[in-house]
Amino acid sequence: LLSERVVFALTPGIGRAEATRVVQDAGTRCRTSGGPFVDELLAEPTIGSHLSRSDIDLLLDPRGYLGSNDAFIDRALAAYRSG
């Protein structure tokens, strides 16, 4: 799920198809090696030339996917309390 954010971040520099390919390749290596995904991403020269370790760490941080969760939680709690 979080790899999608890496693809989006790479797309302006290398195009969507290439970004998807290199991120998928890193994911495949990660599953095979059992190593950290971030290390496999950085091992890909195309990715490393466009994104730093801190960029990738930020993109892989699940807190970036929280989006509207607070609003949904507040709405669910209000419905529960009123009902």
Side-chain angles (χ1 to χ4, degrees), residues 3 7 13 38 43 51 61 63 65 67 72 74:
S3 64
V7 170
V38 66
L51 299 173
D61 186 341
R63 291 177 288 184
Y65 263 82
F72 294 139
D74 290 343

Side-chain angles (χ1 to χ4, degrees), residues 41-65:
L41 289 168
L42 288 169
E44 179 65 48
T46 305
I47 295 173
S49 66
H50 290 277
L51 299 173
S52 68
R53 171 77 186 225
S54 61
D55 293 333
I56 294 171
D57 285 341
L58 184 62
L59 291 166
L60 295 179
D61 186 341
R63 291 177 288 184
Y65 263 82

